[in-house]
Amino acid sequence: MLVNLNKVLLPAKKGKYAVGLFNAVNLEMARGIIAAAEETGSPVIMGTAEVLLPYGPLEELSYFLIPMAKKAKVPVVIHFDHGLNKETCIKALELGFSSIMYDCSTVSYDENVKKVKEMAYIAHSYGATIEGELGHVGDNDGICQNDPSSYYTDPMQAKDFVEKTGVDALAIAVGTAHGAYKFPPKLDFERIKAIAKIITTPLVLHGGSGLADADFREAIKCGISKVNIFTDINVAAAEAAHSESISIDKGITEIIPGVVEAVKKEAVKKIKLFNGDGSQRNIFSE
Ligand SMILES: [Zn+2]
């Protein structure tokens, strides 16, 4: 069933587990993600991001992501991640995405508040949810490496931000980065705890691929309710395509099942890790 973030993240916050967001840039990835969620009986968040649109256009993706979510046996959120332009966010809402993230984390605080507040009003009018970002999650390319903590989310500012904007989820900067890690990340768990203590809005951890299992468990225990994963399933899909292609004699049809299976396997691993004690199953009784 197609749902928005509130339907999956509010129970997650209450039950102290996290729901994974996995981006899908093609049909094979989407099939693997849905299969993983159904096999584990867990809700899932699936979508794409503005920087991924060259690999799978938004409109074409919407033609299968949304029907697949509606048909699924578990709650599925179709989320447009890291929307960078107002127009693209509105297009995602028009196409039927049940959730968006409007990322204004690189502009000034006041500008971030103003833009996200306006977009929250629009998203809510579609019955969709919205995620904002405060502080800046780095890109593993050096921009935040001199003094990473200067980009971390300030707890009091986070409180002000959610109150002023009305976002349904908040991405915080606590030491992770997007893409593959060059150095082992060091998470600021105390900061996650401090933010989770003063705001009720579910918190999101971006740049989760490549983190140690123990770090995920601790971050979720400290108050993270949504974890974004892309690099891990992206690499798993490519490795499967590569290994199948060595013995290829018929064509692409020989590669497709292996890619779907590899994405599913990686997503199942992450979903089980985020589930904690399995209390997510409560969602079906609501
Ligand atoms: Zn992100």
Side-chain angles (χ1 to χ4, degrees), residues 162-183:
V162 298
E163 282 171 0
K164 282 185 175 149
T165 59
V167 288
D168 304 289
L170 181 68
I172 52 172
V174 287
T176 50
H178 292 116
Y181 288 100
K182 292 192 186 108
F183 307 100

Side-chain angles (χ1 to χ4, degrees), residues 8-10 12-14 17-20 45 201-205 219-220 223-227:
V8 302
L9 293 189
L10 296 177
K13 189 172 167 78
K14 223 167 108 189
Y17 60 90
V19 182
I45 304 161
T201 310
L203 303 179
V204 185
L205 187 70
I220 292 165
I224 292 292
S225 306
K226 169 174 176 273
V227 182

Side-chain angles (χ1 to χ4, degrees), residues 244-252 254:
E244 307 276 343
S245 68
I246 291 167
S247 56
I248 195 163
D249 53 37
K250 290 198 195 79
I252 190 79
E254 284 170 287

Side-chain angles (χ1 to χ4, degrees), residues 136-138 152 172-178 181 185-187 205-208 211:
H136 188 63
V137 179
Y152 287 2
I172 52 172
V174 287
T176 50
H178 292 116
Y181 288 100
K186 204 172 161 340
L187 294 188
L205 187 70
H206 280 240
L211 277 192

Side-chain angles (χ1 to χ4, degrees), residues 114-181:
K114 190 170 158 262
K115 291 171 96 169
V116 173
K117 184 182 174 183
E118 184 195 26
M119 189 56 72
Y121 181 78
I122 298 170
H124 291 153
S125 75
Y126 281 84
T129 43
I130 179 168
E131 176 181 332
E133 178 171 314
L134 189 60
H136 188 63
V137 179
D139 297 318
N140 256 313
D141 54 8
I143 62 159
C144 298
Q145 278 173 11
N146 290 338
D147 178 15
S149 61
S150 62
Y151 295 90
Y152 287 2
T153 308
D154 174 72
M156 286 315 289
Q157 202 176 49
K159 186 174 190 295
D160 187 62
F161 185 81
V162 298
E163 282 171 0
K164 282 185 175 149
T165 59
V167 288
D168 304 289
L170 181 68
I172 52 172
V174 287
T176 50
H178 292 116
Y181 288 100

